[in-house]
Amino acid sequence: MNVNIVVTGHVDHGKSTLIGRLLYDSESIKEGRVQEIQKLAEEYKKRFEFAYFLDAFDDEVKEERTIDTTGVMFKGKRNLYTLTDVPGHKEFIKNMLTGASHADIAVLVVSAPEGVQEQTRRHAFLLKMLGVKRLFVAVNRMDTTGYAVEAFQHIRAELLPLLTSFGYQDMPFIPVSAMEGDNVYKRSTRMEWYTGQTLIEAMDDIEVVREAKPPRFVVQDVYRVGIEEVAVGRVESGTFSAGDDVVFQPSGVRGRLQKIMVFRGEIPEGRAGDSVGLVTDARVQRGDVCGLAEQPPVARSTFLGEAVLLDKNLAGGEELEMKCGTRRVKCRVRELREKIDSETGQVLAKNPAGIDENEAALILFETEPMVVEKFADIPELGRFVLVRGKNIGAGIVLEAAG
Amino acid sequence: MPELQDLTNRSIYILREAYAEFKKPAVLWSTGKDSTAVLQLCRHAFFGKVPFPVIHIDTGYKFKAMYEFRDRVSQEWGIDLIVAQNKQALREGVSPHNGKFECCTQLKTQALMSCLEENHFDALILAIRRDEHGIRAKERYFSPRDESFRWNYKDQPLEMWDQFQSMTQSGAHMRVHPILHWRELDVWEFVRQEKTPVHPMYYARNGKRYRSLGCEPCTFPIDSNASTIDEIVEELRETKIAERSGRAQDKEKSFTMQKLRALGYM
């Protein structure tokens, strides 16, 4: 199974080192790479670091911090992993979100000597918002606290209430040392008080379950293939079959699904994740969402969302653009209801005039007609990005009422 | 294999997004395995055709077999081929023997830059993959380049849930990377499944084969006995050797690849 894992946490708590250690101990590092990094470390008069397998920019090596997200792939015993390393600095939250948005599961790294810090909390909050439902906590740098159970228990006690308040349950806390290799890929003999899984054991136990949801298909474009008009796009949820009665919104047209097409010809079904073409008797366009007539998508013009801003100031009443699925529309911040602390999830202010970079908010949006779904029901169509010349924020749909 | 199907689906989605969002996209084709796989993915996405021009950067130093392969495949697939070459630099004697960094910049980056200017392409589809090189692992699917071709890697766009940033400033262009998430092994499994044409140079002869194809003076074969696709797939499952180990421009100095890419190299 393919599993996407994002490794998050505060700067310097050892995210890149942890991934580097996994790659190294699983013998996934290519020949010559170790020598290359030794040479690099000498050149920059630094010690050999596992993090240099990930931190590929010269600025990252010089400054000893990750600037942008990195994706690496490696094979465990059961699963094929894409591990995403993200920066732990506040100024790079945009890159953290980019890396975390495709994650099935997250590892939250906390340094045992430093404890829970600002980005530990913020990353946990953002992961919750993104709908990353499962979390492992790696309590790192246990070597620097003498592998003592006290340091581990202290962090667990501090972090557990926050994670529970975000709705996380049953998350394993694993004491590790990425630098020394304890409990990452190999079981440590230096922490006999810990009898739980190593990180790789916990990872290899992951099952990614796709839940049954109402079928939705987003239209990317309409192509003419031979004599037929083919609506191309992706099945975002559920399954479509030839012969289904379907509805497209916001175009508001109905039709019969005559054929599902791929390059090689017709296929009987399109399943979640499939890039296919639909042949119907309806005239549709990019931005439309298709669903079954008995569980139709609904075009909305207002909805309540929770969003995080990654650019300067967003004011109540402001007009901007929004993208959801393949639809891009004009939208307005009709009510800025609450300003939310992206570290703790606490409400900072009711009806604020605006929010600033890295702040979150509860917002009532007014939009041109578009299909949105409640994030809890169909996440693929329950998330959006805010656009002001470029992508400047992201959020999820809490209530799709009006 | 369902995993290969997942990779393919995502790539097709990305290609269709690029085609919908940009006025004049083009795809870059080195004739190597990766960019040929991207052409085959285009044929999937667009039901048998490649609906935009295909650019081949001809440095003049490519292997002879690559030219023959290029012409045969482009005819078979009905490709609208543009061959771009920096003739002036070649006349002035730019060659790998007088500095590899300068040679790559002149014969590849500069040739591409002129081609983009002449044809007003606003998006370039490229077959780079994260697992090829540490710098490529830092890339976005849609990655803007400014009018001077520079990659502002310190301020890359927010790219969540396949919501790619499609707007560029005037004079700038977007790099689109539809197989960023593929591994080398995935490309070969795709080639095998699709029976995509590949250069014979990838197959071992007398104990050597090319694993990555570039210009003749700067590309070296690896030790290998893999003489069929099945054997290549088996070899890649076990290998500890880096894919681009036979590519000189990656190793001249630390961060050569970063500097090349920051200037617009592919």
Side-chain angles (χ1 to χ4, degrees), chain A residues 106-135:
Chain A
V107 177
L108 186 63
V109 181
V110 190
S111 159
E114 287 186 42
V116 175
Q117 299 288 324
E118 185 183 337
Q119 297 331 307
T120 317
R121 291 186 285 263
R122 180 168 286 115
H123 285 188
F125 172 83
L126 292 169
L127 289 166
K128 175 220 71 163
M129 205 183 98
L130 296 180
V132 179
K133 291 206 179 75
R134 293 190 59 196
L135 201 66

Side-chain angles (χ1 to χ4, degrees), chain B residues 199-217:
Chain B
H199 274 290
M201 291 164 71
Y202 284 113
Y203 302 122
R205 267 176 46 194
N206 307 322
K208 298 257 182 205
R209 76 174 191 90
Y210 287 90
R211 198 157 149 207
S212 173
L213 287 176
C215 295
E216 192 162 8

Side-chain angles (χ1 to χ4, degrees), chain B residues 162-215:
Chain B
D162 290 352
Q163 292 294 357
F164 311 112
Q165 184 157 303
S166 52
M167 292 79 97
T168 51
Q169 315 259 296
S170 83
H173 73 278
M174 191 66 78
R175 296 281 170 94
V176 176
H177 303 133
I179 61 164
L180 197 58
H181 53 298
W182 293 45
R183 295 168 303 160
E184 184 185 11
L185 179 63
D186 302 320
V187 173
W188 280 107
E189 288 188 335
F190 181 75
V191 164
R192 176 165 69 179
Q193 174 190 293
E194 299 287 313
K195 301 184 174 62
T196 308
V198 281
H199 274 290
M201 291 164 71
Y202 284 113
Y203 302 122
R205 267 176 46 194
N206 307 322
K208 298 257 182 205
R209 76 174 191 90
Y210 287 90
R211 198 157 149 207
S212 173
L213 287 176
C215 295

Side-chain angles (χ1 to χ4, degrees), chain A residues 6-7 14 50 59 119 175 184 198 264 285-286 296 316-317 338-339 350 388 401:
Chain A
V6 64
V7 180
F50 286 109
D59 318 61
Q119 297 331 307
V184 179
T198 60
R264 303 254 181 252
Q285 56 184 344
R286 177 171 169 81
E338 289 173 356
K339 175 152 96 174
K350 294 267 187 194
R388 201 161 54 187

Side-chain angles (χ1 to χ4, degrees), chain A residues 249-322:
Chain A
Q249 291 290 4
S251 281
V253 291
R254 296 173 159 268
R256 165 75 49 98
L257 185 48
Q258 293 163 352
K259 278 186 208 174
I260 303 174
M261 285 177 65
V262 293
F263 171 46
R264 303 254 181 252
E266 276 180 61
I267 52 171
E269 290 188 332
R271 295 188 198 145
D274 287 351
S275 283
V276 295
L278 305 185
V279 179
T280 64
D281 38 15
R283 282 198 79 83
V284 303
Q285 56 184 344
R286 177 171 169 81
D288 276 339
V289 175
C290 175
L292 299 182
E294 68 243 38
Q295 290 171 302
V298 180
R300 315 275 181 185
S301 52
T302 57
F303 73 86
L304 187 66
E306 184 179 27
V308 61
L309 181 69
L310 302 155
D311 197 17
K312 301 274 172 270
N313 204 301
L314 179 72
E318 189 173 329
E319 289 185 4
L320 66 166
E321 283 184 307
M322 174 184 285

Side-chain angles (χ1 to χ4, degrees), chain A residues 297-361:
Chain A
V298 180
R300 315 275 181 185
S301 52
T302 57
F303 73 86
L304 187 66
E306 184 179 27
V308 61
L309 181 69
L310 302 155
D311 197 17
K312 301 274 172 270
N313 204 301
L314 179 72
E318 189 173 329
E319 289 185 4
L320 66 166
E321 283 184 307
M322 174 184 285
K323 288 193 285 187
C324 176
T326 53
R327 185 145 167 86
R328 178 151 80 213
V329 295
K330 289 200 181 82
C331 76
R332 197 169 73 88
V333 179
R334 191 157 100 184
E335 286 172 28
L336 205 50
R337 288 196 181 164
E338 289 173 356
K339 175 152 96 174
I340 298 166
D341 187 343
S342 65
E343 249 186 275
T344 61
Q346 302 295 313
V347 177
L348 293 174
K350 294 267 187 194
N351 305 310
I355 57 165
D356 213 339
E357 196 168 352
N358 296 330
E359 287 178 339

Side-chain angles (χ1 to χ4, degrees), chain A residues 11 19 21 26 30 64 67 82 91 133 150 157 160 185 227 249 276 286 298 303 309 316 329 350 361 366:
Chain A
V11 61
I19 298 177
R21 169 58 76 177
S26 63
K30 302 288 188 208
E64 296 190 319
I67 294 173
T82 299
E91 58 180 301
K133 291 206 179 75
E150 289 77 18
L160 205 52
Y185 198 81
I227 53 157
Q249 291 290 4
V276 295
R286 177 171 169 81
V298 180
F303 73 86
L309 181 69
V329 295
K350 294 267 187 194
E366 191 178 306

